[in-house]
mmCIF file of all heavy atoms in Angstrom:
data_model
loop_
_atom_site.group_PDB
_atom_site.id
_atom_site.type_symbol
_atom_site.label_atom_id
_atom_site.label_comp_id
_atom_site.label_asym_id
_atom_site.label_seq_id
_atom_site.Cartn_x
_atom_site.Cartn_y
_atom_site.Cartn_z
ATOM 1 N N GLY A 1319 3.580 -1.414 -24.962
ATOM 2 C CA GLY A 1319 2.420 -2.106 -24.340
ATOM 3 C C GLY A 1319 2.785 -2.916 -23.156
ATOM 4 O O GLY A 1319 2.007 -2.971 -22.165
ATOM 5 N N PHE A 1320 3.921 -3.534 -23.184
ATOM 6 C CA PHE A 1320 4.289 -4.365 -22.052
ATOM 7 C C PHE A 1320 4.420 -3.643 -20.737
ATOM 8 O O PHE A 1320 4.231 -4.182 -19.631
ATOM 9 C CB PHE A 1320 5.673 -5.045 -22.385
ATOM 10 C CG PHE A 1320 6.906 -4.053 -22.309
ATOM 11 C CD1 PHE A 1320 7.636 -3.951 -21.204
ATOM 12 C CD2 PHE A 1320 7.171 -3.305 -23.409
ATOM 13 C CE1 PHE A 1320 8.634 -3.115 -21.097
ATOM 14 C CE2 PHE A 1320 8.181 -2.339 -23.401
ATOM 15 C CZ PHE A 1320 8.978 -2.312 -22.256
ATOM 16 N N LEU A 1321 4.697 -2.303 -20.820
ATOM 17 C CA LEU A 1321 4.882 -1.484 -19.718
ATOM 18 C C LEU A 1321 3.641 -1.443 -18.902
ATOM 19 O O LEU A 1321 3.672 -1.423 -17.590
ATOM 20 C CB LEU A 1321 5.336 -0.065 -20.022
ATOM 21 C CG LEU A 1321 5.601 0.960 -18.900
ATOM 22 C CD1 LEU A 1321 6.672 0.373 -17.922
ATOM 23 C CD2 LEU A 1321 6.195 2.317 -19.578
ATOM 24 N N GLY A 1322 2.431 -1.424 -19.511
ATOM 25 C CA GLY A 1322 1.159 -1.466 -18.777
ATOM 26 C C GLY A 1322 1.083 -2.708 -17.949
ATOM 27 O O GLY A 1322 0.600 -2.536 -16.773
ATOM 28 N N TYR A 1323 1.610 -3.796 -18.400
ATOM 29 C CA TYR A 1323 1.486 -5.064 -17.604
ATOM 30 C C TYR A 1323 2.448 -4.955 -16.490
ATOM 31 O O TYR A 1323 2.114 -5.427 -15.285
ATOM 32 C CB TYR A 1323 1.759 -6.286 -18.415
ATOM 33 C CG TYR A 1323 0.699 -6.556 -19.535
ATOM 34 C CD1 TYR A 1323 0.834 -5.976 -20.761
ATOM 35 C CD2 TYR A 1323 -0.509 -7.158 -19.139
ATOM 36 C CE1 TYR A 1323 -0.261 -6.241 -21.697
ATOM 37 C CE2 TYR A 1323 -1.536 -7.322 -20.013
ATOM 38 C CZ TYR A 1323 -1.362 -6.846 -21.277
ATOM 39 O OH TYR A 1323 -2.500 -7.086 -22.141
ATOM 40 N N ILE A 1324 3.633 -4.496 -16.649
ATOM 41 C CA ILE A 1324 4.520 -4.380 -15.517
ATOM 42 C C ILE A 1324 4.040 -3.461 -14.439
ATOM 43 O O ILE A 1324 3.989 -3.725 -13.176
ATOM 44 C CB ILE A 1324 5.879 -3.846 -15.905
ATOM 45 C CG1 ILE A 1324 6.482 -4.640 -17.075
ATOM 46 C CG2 ILE A 1324 6.851 -3.897 -14.697
ATOM 47 C CD1 ILE A 1324 7.862 -4.260 -17.470
ATOM 48 N N ALA A 1325 3.474 -2.328 -14.856
ATOM 49 C CA ALA A 1325 2.851 -1.406 -13.879
ATOM 50 C C ALA A 1325 1.625 -1.991 -13.150
ATOM 51 O O ALA A 1325 1.476 -1.799 -12.036
ATOM 52 C CB ALA A 1325 2.386 -0.097 -14.606
ATOM 53 N N ALA A 1326 0.950 -2.790 -13.845
ATOM 54 C CA ALA A 1326 -0.226 -3.486 -13.278
ATOM 55 C C ALA A 1326 0.266 -4.443 -12.054
ATOM 56 O O ALA A 1326 -0.565 -4.674 -11.222
ATOM 57 C CB ALA A 1326 -1.021 -4.223 -14.333
ATOM 58 N N LEU A 1327 1.471 -4.990 -12.251
ATOM 59 C CA LEU A 1327 1.919 -5.925 -11.257
ATOM 60 C C LEU A 1327 2.083 -5.247 -9.907
ATOM 61 O O LEU A 1327 1.919 -5.884 -8.832
ATOM 62 C CB LEU A 1327 3.137 -6.595 -11.621
ATOM 63 C CG LEU A 1327 3.133 -7.949 -12.412
ATOM 64 C CD1 LEU A 1327 4.455 -8.304 -12.705
ATOM 65 C CD2 LEU A 1327 2.439 -8.936 -11.537
ATOM 66 N N VAL A 1328 2.514 -3.953 -9.915
ATOM 67 C CA VAL A 1328 2.815 -3.321 -8.642
ATOM 68 C C VAL A 1328 1.671 -3.268 -7.612
ATOM 69 O O VAL A 1328 1.866 -3.726 -6.612
ATOM 70 C CB VAL A 1328 3.441 -1.869 -8.919
ATOM 71 C CG1 VAL A 1328 3.836 -1.190 -7.631
ATOM 72 C CG2 VAL A 1328 4.562 -1.994 -9.847
ATOM 73 N N PRO A 1329 0.476 -2.684 -8.034
ATOM 74 C CA PRO A 1329 -0.503 -2.807 -7.089
ATOM 75 C C PRO A 1329 -0.935 -4.257 -6.603
ATOM 76 O O PRO A 1329 -1.341 -4.393 -5.436
ATOM 77 C CB PRO A 1329 -1.769 -2.196 -7.774
ATOM 78 C CG PRO A 1329 -1.312 -2.011 -9.154
ATOM 79 C CD PRO A 1329 0.047 -2.096 -9.282
ATOM 80 N N ILE A 1330 -0.794 -5.207 -7.469
ATOM 81 C CA ILE A 1330 -1.071 -6.574 -7.079
ATOM 82 C C ILE A 1330 -0.046 -6.982 -5.972
ATOM 83 O O ILE A 1330 -0.436 -7.787 -5.087
ATOM 84 C CB ILE A 1330 -1.018 -7.553 -8.321
ATOM 85 C CG1 ILE A 1330 -2.134 -7.126 -9.206
ATOM 86 C CG2 ILE A 1330 -1.098 -9.040 -7.851
ATOM 87 C CD1 ILE A 1330 -2.122 -7.953 -10.557
ATOM 88 N N LEU A 1331 1.141 -6.567 -6.032
ATOM 89 C CA LEU A 1331 2.102 -6.829 -4.987
ATOM 90 C C LEU A 1331 1.939 -6.049 -3.666
ATOM 91 O O LEU A 1331 2.102 -6.480 -2.615
ATOM 92 C CB LEU A 1331 3.567 -6.592 -5.437
ATOM 93 C CG LEU A 1331 4.092 -7.618 -6.354
ATOM 94 C CD1 LEU A 1331 5.525 -7.108 -6.759
ATOM 95 C CD2 LEU A 1331 4.259 -8.906 -5.702
ATOM 96 N N ILE A 1332 1.401 -4.778 -3.818
ATOM 97 C CA ILE A 1332 1.319 -3.868 -2.741
ATOM 98 C C ILE A 1332 0.026 -4.190 -1.893
ATOM 99 O O ILE A 1332 0.074 -4.286 -0.595
ATOM 100 C CB ILE A 1332 1.256 -2.481 -3.165
ATOM 101 C CG1 ILE A 1332 2.546 -2.018 -3.679
ATOM 102 C CG2 ILE A 1332 0.820 -1.589 -1.945
ATOM 103 C CD1 ILE A 1332 2.668 -0.533 -4.026
ATOM 104 N N LEU A 1333 -1.089 -4.455 -2.607
ATOM 105 C CA LEU A 1333 -2.288 -4.637 -1.804
ATOM 106 C C LEU A 1333 -2.263 -5.675 -0.676
ATOM 107 O O LEU A 1333 -2.716 -5.373 0.353
ATOM 108 C CB LEU A 1333 -3.501 -5.008 -2.760
ATOM 109 C CG LEU A 1333 -4.821 -5.090 -2.167
ATOM 110 C CD1 LEU A 1333 -5.256 -3.767 -1.635
ATOM 111 C CD2 LEU A 1333 -5.873 -5.673 -3.135
ATOM 112 N N PRO A 1334 -1.645 -6.863 -0.864
ATOM 113 C CA PRO A 1334 -1.686 -7.863 0.174
ATOM 114 C C PRO A 1334 -1.030 -7.304 1.490
ATOM 115 O O PRO A 1334 -1.620 -7.476 2.559
ATOM 116 C CB PRO A 1334 -0.849 -9.059 -0.399
ATOM 117 C CG PRO A 1334 -0.974 -8.916 -1.829
ATOM 118 C CD PRO A 1334 -1.127 -7.367 -2.128
ATOM 119 N N TYR A 1335 0.273 -6.818 1.374
ATOM 120 C CA TYR A 1335 0.829 -6.407 2.583
ATOM 121 C C TYR A 1335 0.355 -5.069 3.174
ATOM 122 O O TYR A 1335 0.355 -4.815 4.339
ATOM 123 C CB TYR A 1335 2.407 -6.361 2.495
ATOM 124 C CG TYR A 1335 3.046 -5.115 1.843
ATOM 125 C CD1 TYR A 1335 3.222 -3.980 2.719
ATOM 126 C CD2 TYR A 1335 3.382 -5.090 0.576
ATOM 127 C CE1 TYR A 1335 3.841 -2.885 2.059
ATOM 128 C CE2 TYR A 1335 4.038 -3.920 -0.028
ATOM 129 C CZ TYR A 1335 4.240 -2.922 0.763
ATOM 130 O OH TYR A 1335 4.795 -1.676 0.202
ATOM 131 N N TYR A 1336 -0.299 -4.375 2.314
ATOM 132 C CA TYR A 1336 -0.952 -3.079 2.738
ATOM 133 C C TYR A 1336 -2.175 -3.474 3.557
ATOM 134 O O TYR A 1336 -2.397 -2.876 4.652
ATOM 135 C CB TYR A 1336 -1.543 -2.279 1.448
ATOM 136 C CG TYR A 1336 -1.699 -0.831 1.824
ATOM 137 C CD1 TYR A 1336 -0.714 0.072 1.686
ATOM 138 C CD2 TYR A 1336 -2.947 -0.295 2.135
ATOM 139 C CE1 TYR A 1336 -0.829 1.400 1.923
ATOM 140 C CE2 TYR A 1336 -3.147 0.999 2.373
ATOM 141 C CZ TYR A 1336 -1.970 1.878 2.326
ATOM 142 O OH TYR A 1336 -2.237 3.217 2.548
ATOM 143 N N CYS A 1337 -2.805 -4.532 3.263
ATOM 144 C CA CYS A 1337 -3.918 -4.985 3.978
ATOM 145 C C CYS A 1337 -3.472 -5.686 5.377
ATOM 146 O O CYS A 1337 -4.250 -5.557 6.378
ATOM 147 C CB CYS A 1337 -4.860 -5.951 3.310
ATOM 148 S SG CYS A 1337 -5.778 -5.305 1.860
ATOM 149 N N VAL A 1338 -2.366 -6.162 5.317
ATOM 150 C CA VAL A 1338 -1.762 -6.776 6.549
ATOM 151 C C VAL A 1338 -1.623 -5.655 7.590
ATOM 152 O O VAL A 1338 -2.028 -5.807 8.720
ATOM 153 C CB VAL A 1338 -0.530 -7.566 6.397
ATOM 154 C CG1 VAL A 1338 0.113 -7.920 7.725
ATOM 155 C CG2 VAL A 1338 -0.778 -8.773 5.602
ATOM 156 N N ILE A 1339 -1.086 -4.514 7.101
ATOM 157 C CA ILE A 1339 -0.779 -3.418 8.064
ATOM 158 C C ILE A 1339 -2.048 -2.730 8.402
ATOM 159 O O ILE A 1339 -2.276 -2.299 9.632
ATOM 160 C CB ILE A 1339 0.206 -2.460 7.472
ATOM 161 C CG1 ILE A 1339 1.488 -3.113 7.041
ATOM 162 C CG2 ILE A 1339 0.512 -1.292 8.439
ATOM 163 C CD1 ILE A 1339 2.329 -2.400 6.035
ATOM 164 N N GLY A 1340 -2.999 -2.666 7.430
ATOM 165 C CA GLY A 1340 -4.429 -2.124 7.739
ATOM 166 C C GLY A 1340 -5.014 -2.914 8.825
ATOM 167 O O GLY A 1340 -5.665 -2.376 9.719
ATOM 168 N N GLY A 1341 -4.731 -4.311 8.800
ATOM 169 C CA GLY A 1341 -5.269 -5.103 9.903
ATOM 170 C C GLY A 1341 -4.593 -4.768 11.237
ATOM 171 O O GLY A 1341 -5.346 -4.772 12.265
ATOM 172 N N TRP A 1342 -3.350 -4.373 11.296
ATOM 173 C CA TRP A 1342 -2.736 -4.063 12.531
ATOM 174 C C TRP A 1342 -3.451 -2.780 13.137
ATOM 175 O O TRP A 1342 -3.718 -2.686 14.346
ATOM 176 C CB TRP A 1342 -1.248 -3.719 12.303
ATOM 177 C CG TRP A 1342 -0.306 -4.763 11.893
ATOM 178 C CD1 TRP A 1342 -0.688 -6.100 11.735
ATOM 179 C CD2 TRP A 1342 1.069 -4.734 11.463
ATOM 180 N NE1 TRP A 1342 0.395 -6.796 11.220
ATOM 181 C CE2 TRP A 1342 1.506 -5.981 11.070
ATOM 182 C CE3 TRP A 1342 2.017 -3.617 11.333
ATOM 183 C CZ2 TRP A 1342 2.782 -6.302 10.674
ATOM 184 C CZ3 TRP A 1342 3.182 -3.819 10.944
ATOM 185 C CH2 TRP A 1342 3.622 -5.147 10.653
ATOM 186 N N VAL A 1343 -3.737 -1.811 12.140
ATOM 187 C CA VAL A 1343 -4.353 -0.596 12.550
ATOM 188 C C VAL A 1343 -5.754 -0.910 13.149
ATOM 189 O O VAL A 1343 -6.131 -0.382 14.210
ATOM 190 C CB VAL A 1343 -4.528 0.383 11.388
ATOM 191 C CG1 VAL A 1343 -5.327 1.651 11.862
ATOM 192 C CG2 VAL A 1343 -3.206 0.763 10.855
ATOM 193 N N LEU A 1344 -6.376 -1.838 12.476
ATOM 194 C CA LEU A 1344 -7.780 -2.284 12.968
ATOM 195 C C LEU A 1344 -7.688 -2.877 14.380
ATOM 196 O O LEU A 1344 -8.523 -2.541 15.279
ATOM 197 C CB LEU A 1344 -8.291 -3.363 12.045
ATOM 198 C CG LEU A 1344 -9.757 -3.757 12.105
ATOM 199 C CD1 LEU A 1344 -10.571 -2.416 11.847
ATOM 200 C CD2 LEU A 1344 -10.143 -4.796 11.048
ATOM 201 N N LYS A 1345 -6.611 -3.705 14.560
ATOM 202 C CA LYS A 1345 -6.394 -4.238 15.843
ATOM 203 C C LYS A 1345 -6.315 -3.118 16.979
ATOM 204 O O LYS A 1345 -6.858 -3.210 18.037
ATOM 205 C CB LYS A 1345 -5.151 -5.101 15.799
ATOM 206 C CG LYS A 1345 -4.491 -5.497 17.184
ATOM 207 C CD LYS A 1345 -5.263 -6.515 17.845
ATOM 208 C CE LYS A 1345 -4.591 -6.859 19.231
ATOM 209 N NZ LYS A 1345 -5.220 -7.846 19.983
ATOM 210 N N TYR A 1346 -5.501 -2.154 16.598
ATOM 211 C CA TYR A 1346 -5.250 -1.047 17.584
ATOM 212 C C TYR A 1346 -6.551 -0.282 17.802
ATOM 213 O O TYR A 1346 -6.904 0.277 18.975
ATOM 214 C CB TYR A 1346 -4.084 -0.188 17.135
ATOM 215 C CG TYR A 1346 -2.839 -0.686 17.573
ATOM 216 C CD1 TYR A 1346 -2.361 -1.807 17.163
ATOM 217 C CD2 TYR A 1346 -2.046 0.004 18.637
ATOM 218 C CE1 TYR A 1346 -1.111 -2.401 17.617
ATOM 219 C CE2 TYR A 1346 -0.909 -0.460 19.035
ATOM 220 C CZ TYR A 1346 -0.376 -1.694 18.613
ATOM 221 O OH TYR A 1346 0.810 -2.198 19.050
ATOM 222 N N CYS A 1347 -7.358 -0.155 16.819
ATOM 223 C CA CYS A 1347 -8.734 0.499 16.982
ATOM 224 C C CYS A 1347 -9.495 -0.245 18.000
ATOM 225 O O CYS A 1347 -10.096 0.323 18.958
ATOM 226 C CB CYS A 1347 -9.534 0.563 15.730
ATOM 227 S SG CYS A 1347 -8.882 1.678 14.464
ATOM 228 N N CYS A 1348 -9.571 -1.628 17.904
ATOM 229 C CA CYS A 1348 -10.259 -2.428 18.882
ATOM 230 C C CYS A 1348 -9.685 -2.266 20.167
ATOM 231 O O CYS A 1348 -10.495 -2.088 21.193
ATOM 232 C CB CYS A 1348 -10.241 -3.906 18.375
ATOM 233 S SG CYS A 1348 -11.010 -4.231 16.797
ATOM 234 N N THR A 1349 -8.369 -2.264 20.305
ATOM 235 C CA THR A 1349 -7.748 -2.147 21.605
ATOM 236 C C THR A 1349 -8.239 -0.900 22.305
ATOM 237 O O THR A 1349 -8.627 -0.867 23.475
ATOM 238 C CB THR A 1349 -6.174 -2.104 21.464
ATOM 239 O OG1 THR A 1349 -5.874 -3.257 20.738
ATOM 240 C CG2 THR A 1349 -5.514 -2.138 22.835
ATOM 241 N N TYR A 1350 -8.168 0.275 21.576
ATOM 242 C CA TYR A 1350 -8.489 1.540 22.240
ATOM 243 C C TYR A 1350 -9.997 1.628 22.472
ATOM 244 O O TYR A 1350 -10.465 2.171 23.395
ATOM 245 C CB TYR A 1350 -8.002 2.656 21.357
ATOM 246 C CG TYR A 1350 -6.537 3.066 21.653
ATOM 247 C CD1 TYR A 1350 -5.564 2.370 20.922
ATOM 248 C CD2 TYR A 1350 -6.246 3.841 22.684
ATOM 249 C CE1 TYR A 1350 -4.219 2.642 21.220
ATOM 250 C CE2 TYR A 1350 -4.827 4.115 23.053
ATOM 251 C CZ TYR A 1350 -3.957 3.540 22.292
ATOM 252 O OH TYR A 1350 -2.579 3.770 22.559
#
Side-chain angles (χ1 to χ4, degrees):
F1320 72 96
L1321 183 50
Y1323 291 96
I1324 305 185
L1327 267 180
V1328 181
I1330 295 179
L1331 284 177
I1332 290 184
L1333 184 63
Y1335 82 83
Y1336 203 86
C1337 288
V1338 170
I1339 305 160
W1342 298 353
V1343 176
L1344 192 62
K1345 160 80 179 174
Y1346 272 66
C1347 288
C1348 296
T1349 307
Y1350 276 91

